[in-house]
Amino acid sequence: MGENKQRLLAGDWYLPDDPELADDHRRCIGLCADFNAAERLPYAERFALLERLLGSVGEGVRIRAPFRCDFGRHIRIGARTFVNFGAVLLDAAPITIGADVQIGPNVQLLTPHHALDAERRRAGWEKAMPVTIGDNVWLGGGVIVCPGVAIGENTVVGAGSVVVADLPAGVLAVGNPARVVRVLEPSAG
């Protein structure tokens, strides 16, 4: 394993313009293309493509095309989760999505972070920070989750919100930046 891939996996600053990382990305592009072109295939065949593309995928996961990601292998999705059209999961760091999550159309889960220093940014350095989505979360259409964010279970994030900091369990959050507007009542039964 090369130095930049080791740095990426360790959560350190790395240079993404690396032949080994480019090979990993090309593998992902091919599998995403296969998955996105397979919309008419039976569920079992599409699920088999997801199992090849993603790090792990729980039973009953449904993802609607088009779907895009950087590496795929760093994404783990829990059982019965639904991902609507146009999802972009930039998984230079781990993206963990719990069970029974609802992800609206055009949602972005972003792990890459670029240097604030302009010279370092021009040199191409980036770092990635994990994104974690708890069980039973609902992300409305167009939500953007920024690098390093964790969203607690049973939380709802309103459409178009930009989540720049962790959100606790069981709340409704909206806006840019997303802020908690109320606590949600636990479900009965």
Side-chain angles (χ1 to χ4, degrees):
M1 184 183 314
E3 179 183 354
N4 278 303
K5 188 169 184 175
Q6 287 176 2
R7 289 164 139 317
L8 175 140
L9 294 173
D12 294 331
W13 290 99
Y14 66 95
L15 293 168
D17 186 17
D18 174 270
E20 184 178 17
L21 295 177
D23 286 346
D24 289 349
H25 183 64
R26 272 191 295 279
R27 171 202 162 272
C28 182
I29 289 172
L31 288 169
C32 278
D34 292 347
F35 176 78
N36 289 329
E39 192 74 21
R40 291 183 169 184
L41 292 179
Y43 174 79
E45 292 179 46
R46 296 185 81 236
F47 191 82
L49 286 169
L50 284 178
E51 289 180 312
R52 290 180 52 213
L53 174 62
L54 303 178
S56 72
V57 56
E59 182 181 335
V61 166
R62 292 175 297 136
I63 298 177
R64 300 186 81 180
F67 173 76
R68 298 277 187 262
C69 57
D70 273 340
F71 298 99
R73 293 177 176 151
H74 305 145
I75 299 170
R76 302 195 181 312
I77 302 178
R80 299 168 306 280
T81 287
F82 174 73
V83 180
N84 213 325
F85 299 110
V88 175
L89 280 62
L90 300 186
D91 64 314
I95 294 176
T96 305
I97 301 170
D100 301 300
V101 172
Q102 299 290 311
I103 296 180
N106 299 311
V107 166
Q108 299 176 45
L109 306 181
L110 312 173
T111 68
H113 173 72
H114 301 280
L116 295 178
D117 176 73
E119 190 172 319
R120 191 164 169 82
R121 195 169 53 250
R122 275 193 304 276
W125 289 98
E126 69 179 49
K127 183 178 187 174
M129 298 178 283
V131 167
T132 303
I133 310 297
D135 294 343
N136 303 306
V137 166
W138 174 21
L139 301 178
V143 166
I144 298 172
V145 179
C146 292
V149 167
I151 298 175
E153 65 182 25
N154 302 314
T155 284
V156 175
V157 181
S161 296
V162 179
V163 186
V164 299
D166 292 353
L167 294 174
V171 299
L172 171 63
V174 299
N176 180 3
R179 60 182 171 56
V180 174
V181 293
R182 72 180 170 105
V183 173
L184 300 173
E185 295 296 321
S187 298

